[in-house]
Amino acid sequence: MNPLDLLKNTQALKEQAEQFQKELGELTAEGSSGGRMVTVKINGHFEMTEIHLDPICVDNRDIKMLEDLIVAAQHDAITEMQKLMKEKSGSLLHGLNIPGL
């Protein structure tokens, strides 16, 4: 491969990566657990932005269950965000002619 072509591809990749980072902040994914008793939303930086608790799951006698539901919902949201990011990054790299990718 011609080194000049590689440099051109590198610059294009850098510009697209910067745009991708900007778009990450705008992405949101939702995860839930316990039959949607707990739902959380995260952004593309994996920061939790919202949480919703169904009143039925708020029982001070079973705090451990609620904690487990929150963790499970967060995990579900992260899994969803990873799928979204994979789709986005696939479109980012699609048009570039980079050997090995």
Side-chain angles (χ1 to χ4, degrees):
M1 164 155 234
N2 182 344
L4 293 176
D5 289 340
L6 186 58
L7 285 175
K8 288 177 188 176
N9 284 344
T10 302
Q11 181 61 31
L13 182 59
K14 180 183 175 193
E15 291 170 3
Q16 289 182 349
E18 289 171 355
Q19 179 64 28
F20 181 68
Q21 284 293 323
K22 181 181 173 188
E23 291 174 3
L24 281 180
E26 299 168 3
L27 286 178
T28 60
E30 183 176 291
S32 66
S33 64
R36 300 196 54 85
M37 286 194 302
V38 175
T39 59
V40 298
K41 286 188 181 179
I42 62 171
N43 64 22
H45 301 292
F46 295 95
E47 301 165 333
M48 189 184 311
T49 57
E50 291 181 37
I51 185 167
H52 175 74
L53 305 173
D54 186 317
I56 197 167
C57 70
V58 182
D59 182 352
N60 64 358
R61 295 170 295 173
D62 200 356
I63 297 297
K64 181 66 178 143
M65 179 198 67
L66 181 56
E67 291 169 345
D68 290 345
L69 288 172
I70 291 170
V71 169
Q74 173 78 0
H75 178 72
D76 190 43
I78 288 172
T79 300
E80 185 62 29
M81 181 56 70
Q82 289 170 333
K83 288 178 192 174
L84 288 171
M85 291 175 78
K86 186 175 181 179
E87 291 170 10
K88 276 274 200 198
S89 64
S91 66
L92 171 72
L93 299 175
H94 178 66
L96 298 176
N97 183 21
I98 300 174
L101 292 180

